Amino acid sequence: MLDGREKIAQNSFVPHVPRGRPTLSDVADAAGLSVSSVSRALAGRGDLAPATRARVIAEARRLGYARTDEPRGRPRGGTARLFDLVLGHFHDPYSDEVTAGARSAAAQAGYDLVLTAERDHPDDDWPARIRARGSAGAVLGLVVPTATQLALLRDASVPVVLLDPRAEHTPDLPSVQTTDRVGGASAAAHLVGAGATRFLVVVGTPAYRFGRARVAGFVDAVDERMPGASVQRIDTEWNGGDARAACRAAIESLPPGERLGVFATSDTLATMVYAGAADAGRMIPRDVLVVGFDDVRGARSLQPALTTVRQPIREMAAHAIGLLARAVAGDPLPGGPVSLATSLIVRGSTAAVPHPPEHDPLHAVAGTVNGAADAGPKAHRGVMEESS
């Protein structure tokens, strides 16, 4: 037989099981937190660790707790008339295009656009900030959210659309991207047709989904059209990194009488090819043919203007916003990716040279990127950011 004190001690180890409809106190007891902390976690407010928020949400779901009598992380009776655009960085040619497309589409739909910075850290609280604002939805550009981050948004019924996700295997979320593999294949077909006899592909690292697809499409198309052709590869950071020196070495080794066809997986990387060609004393397009990818505004400012695979960045961002607007109106979101087509924009960097002039290294250096070739990578990034 147990006396009263032993019974109390024994029962103290029994988990609390709420009777009837669970309350905020029940969730707090289950999570081992105060009622105020649980309230802030469920509302997406306060300075709480993501793991703590996730634990609270999990306990609330397990207990079947529903905040029917209290305001949630978003306003009741209609969300705020705003969408969030989440990007890891702003103020570069790509993000400027994304922002412009998203802002125009949001305004047309009657929404404001909030720019939200995603920091590459597991404790980043951008989902809580979105919830606290009562955002009607979020476009995540080049971002693959964690399970915890998705749980915070899903619990507040915030619809999410991925824009150009970095990974092939993403959560079961709608996404908007472009035909990267087809774009890479079109670059190869154009370079072969323009008279390239050897090939170089300059690849951004880390090797994200879109980069891998562009390279695969290019290599396969070269192999189909010119079996056995030499295809050299340079891996470098997406911002260019040490690509200039590597491109120079590859271009300097070009045998006399051959033309090198270069495919850069972004326009920013293409500027490093221009610089490497100038350093090597070779001319574009006489000795080196160059195709980029993106068609950001600076591509037209290079000398000669850059042939590039245009991905419809503004249209992609606008389409993602459109999906959110329709979701708020009650339409279901698509269950997978939506792909908008690339197109090849032909300019001077792959022009035909019917009668090549005598080799003139000084001319090659002077006519490369508006004199920026000798100013280093920073100057080339500046060229990419100029208005056309």
Side-chain angles (χ1 to χ4, degrees):
M1 295 290 292
L2 299 173
D3 61 24
R5 286 175 298 180
E6 291 172 323
K7 289 180 179 179
I8 292 174
Q10 184 186 57
N11 291 337
S12 66
F13 291 95
V14 178
H16 173 66
V17 179
R19 296 178 180 178
R21 195 174 75 178
T23 66
L24 196 64
S25 296
D26 295 325
V27 179
D29 290 342
L33 297 169
S34 67
V35 172
S36 61
S37 294
V38 168
S39 178
R40 291 197 304 273
L42 293 176
R45 300 190 303 267
D47 188 17
L48 296 175
T52 301
R53 293 186 196 275
R55 186 168 85 248
V56 170
I57 291 171
E59 291 296 342
R61 287 178 175 167
R62 183 180 66 81
L63 296 174
Y65 173 73
R67 304 176 66 201
T68 56
D69 299 323
E70 307 168 72
R72 304 185 64 173
R74 340 165 14 147
R76 290 168 52 80
T79 62
R81 300 290 295 181
L82 60 88
F83 291 129
D84 274 79
L85 172 62
V86 184
L87 287 170
H89 51 82
F90 292 90
H91 307 304
D92 62 71
Y94 177 87
S95 63
D96 286 350
E97 291 290 305
V98 171
T99 302
R103 183 178 60 238
S104 296
Q108 186 174 2
Y111 288 80
D112 292 325
L113 185 71
V114 177
L115 304 184
T116 301
E118 185 260 352
R119 295 177 289 272
D120 191 15
H121 191 280
D123 290 336
D124 185 21
D125 65 345
W126 60 263
R129 301 198 301 274
I130 290 175
R131 282 176 51 129
R133 279 192 286 271
S135 180
V139 172
L140 311 185
L142 302 177
V143 174
V144 177
T146 65
T148 299
Q149 291 169 336
L150 278 179
L152 287 168
L153 298 175
R154 189 182 299 114
D155 182 67
S157 300
V158 178
V160 172
V161 175
L162 304 181
L163 176 63
D164 221 5
R166 293 175 173 176
E168 287 94 343
H169 303 292
T170 60
D172 187 20
L173 293 171
S175 65
V176 180
Q177 55 196 51
T178 192
T179 53
D180 293 288
R181 186 183 182 97
V182 173
S186 68
H190 179 68
L191 288 171
V192 170
T197 56
R198 295 173 171 263
F199 301 90
L200 171 67
V201 57
V202 183
V203 185
T205 58
Y208 298 127
R209 172 199 58 80
F210 39 82
R212 292 193 296 269
R214 294 167 194 176
V215 172
F218 179 81
V219 172
D220 287 351
V222 169
D223 186 61
E224 178 182 346
R225 288 164 173 77
M226 293 183 65
S230 170
V231 181
Q232 187 177 349
R233 174 172 174 153
I234 293 174
D235 292 274
T236 185
E237 296 177 358
W238 283 99
N239 64 7
D242 58 355
R244 177 174 181 165
C247 289
R248 173 180 179 170
I251 294 169
E252 283 180 334
S253 66
L254 183 66
E258 299 216 36
R259 298 179 81 190
L260 180 66
V262 184
F263 174 49
T265 54
S266 77
D267 290 348
T268 299
L269 294 178
T271 66
M272 299 296 102
V273 179
Y274 274 58
D279 294 343
R282 299 299 183 98
M283 293 181 64
I284 298 172
R286 190 191 68 186
D287 306 306
V288 181
L289 303 160
V290 185
V291 177
F293 200 107
D294 285 334
D295 196 29
V296 294
R297 61 181 179 271
R300 295 180 293 276
S301 301
L302 296 172
Q303 294 297 327
L306 177 65
T307 294
T308 188
V309 178
R310 179 182 182 270
Q311 63 166 327
I313 302 172
R314 291 196 184 199
E315 294 89 336
M316 290 160 60
H319 192 83
I321 291 292
L323 291 177
L324 290 180
R326 290 193 288 275
V328 173
D331 293 343
L333 287 168
V338 176
S339 295
L340 303 189
T342 55
S343 56
L344 183 71
I345 307 299
V346 178
R347 300 192 180 103
S349 66
T350 56
V353 184
H355 300 292
E358 291 297 320
H359 186 67
D360 184 358
L362 292 178
H363 186 195
V365 173
T368 315
V369 280
N370 289 328
D374 295 324
K378 182 177 181 180
H380 289 279
R381 288 195 293 273
V383 169
M384 295 304 299
E385 295 177 5
E386 290 177 0
S387 298
S388 59

